[in-house]
């Protein structure tokens, strides 16, 4: 029997084992989201996590090394979901793309409040790694907005500064909204979209190369 024949039967088994491992890791992350949503980071020990997840503590160490690694994996997974939901707009006209992006952002914050708060506020004690994850999210969202408005992700410094200011207000408004829930998501989305329109028109005054998209009718 040649080497390729010897390796052949093992390859599917290896692939299946990898798939099972990835599925198990994803399952533990999903469980962790619920745990950290209901209990603070410091209040949860690895024993608590393992008991509530219904697994051996060693399994969590195997996949994530320690509690911090587990927490960061949950945050990174949340970030991937947030960016994917907010930026799935490629086939829409510019202003519809902006509307869809902001609505997706709000929907994610609404349904994953603990993860959203951790991303925006910096996690546990302004954790540097969580802040780095947040900054990466901001960069991707800025790129999405810039591409929707001007068809490109690279933008002048003034435009970037103005958009960062708007995005900071989005984060503050979203935190207030999910805490108080006094307004409907559609109303909050409309406020943020119109705020972005004002920011884009202001950018155009200083940077004619970045014209604002056509202003949509007021809802």
């Amino acid at each position: 029997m040649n080497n390729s024949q010897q390796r052949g039967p093992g390859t599917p088994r290896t692939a299946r084992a990898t798939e099972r491992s990835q599925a198990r890791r994803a399952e533990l992350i999903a469980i962790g989201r619920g745990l950290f949503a209901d209990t603070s980071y410091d209040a949860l020990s690895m024993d608590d996590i393992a008991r509530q997840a219904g697994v051996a503590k060693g399994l969590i160490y195997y996949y994530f090394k320690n509690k911090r690694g587990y927490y960061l994996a949950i945050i990174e997974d949340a970030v991937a979901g947030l960016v994917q939901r907010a930026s799935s707009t490629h086939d829409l006209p510019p202003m519809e793309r902006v509307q869809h992006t902001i609505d997706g952002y709000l929907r994610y914050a609404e349904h994953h409040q603990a993860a959203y708060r951790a991303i925006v506020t910096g996690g546990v004690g302004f954790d540097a790694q969580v802040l780095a994850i947040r900054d990466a999210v901001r960069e991707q969202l800025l790129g999405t907005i810039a591409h929707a408005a001007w068809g490109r992700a690279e933008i002048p410094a003034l435009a970037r500064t103005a958009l960062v200011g708007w995005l900071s207000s989005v984060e503050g408004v979203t935190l207030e909204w999910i805490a108080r829930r006094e307004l409907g998501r559609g109303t909050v989305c409309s406020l943020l979209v119109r705020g972005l329109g004002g920011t884009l028109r202001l950018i155009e005054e200083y940077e004619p190369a970045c014209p604002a998209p056509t202003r949509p009718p007021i809802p």
Side-chain angles (χ1 to χ4, degrees), residues 3-48:
N3 290 337
S4 63
Q5 290 174 317
Q6 291 175 333
R7 288 194 301 267
T11 302
R13 286 198 296 270
T14 301
R16 286 195 296 270
T18 300
E19 289 174 2
R20 285 196 298 270
S21 179
Q22 291 173 342
R24 189 56 167 149
R25 186 178 187 276
E27 181 183 352
L28 289 171
I29 287 174
I31 292 170
R33 278 194 186 184
L35 295 178
F36 286 114
D38 297 330
T39 309
S40 70
Y41 176 88
D42 291 331
L44 277 175
S45 68
M46 287 294 278
D47 288 325
D48 294 330

Side-chain angles (χ1 to χ4, degrees), residues 66-137:
N66 50 41
K67 185 172 76 166
R68 175 181 168 78
Y70 187 38
Y71 179 75
L72 289 173
I74 292 166
I75 297 301
E76 288 173 345
D77 184 72
V79 163
L82 173 57
V83 171
Q84 181 181 19
R85 179 178 284 259
S87 60
S88 57
T89 60
H90 306 294
D91 299 328
L92 298 175
M95 289 313 299
E96 288 184 38
R97 195 180 309 165
V98 168
Q99 180 93 22
H100 183 89
T101 295
I102 296 173
D103 184 68
Y105 183 95
L106 291 172
R107 283 177 183 271
Y108 188 88
E110 181 179 20
H111 295 295
H112 303 87
Q113 295 184 23
Y116 180 80
R117 288 191 183 96
I119 295 166
V120 171
T121 61
V124 180
F126 294 97
D127 187 297
Q129 284 184 266
V130 177
L131 289 172
I133 293 170
R134 183 201 64 186
D135 290 344
V137 173

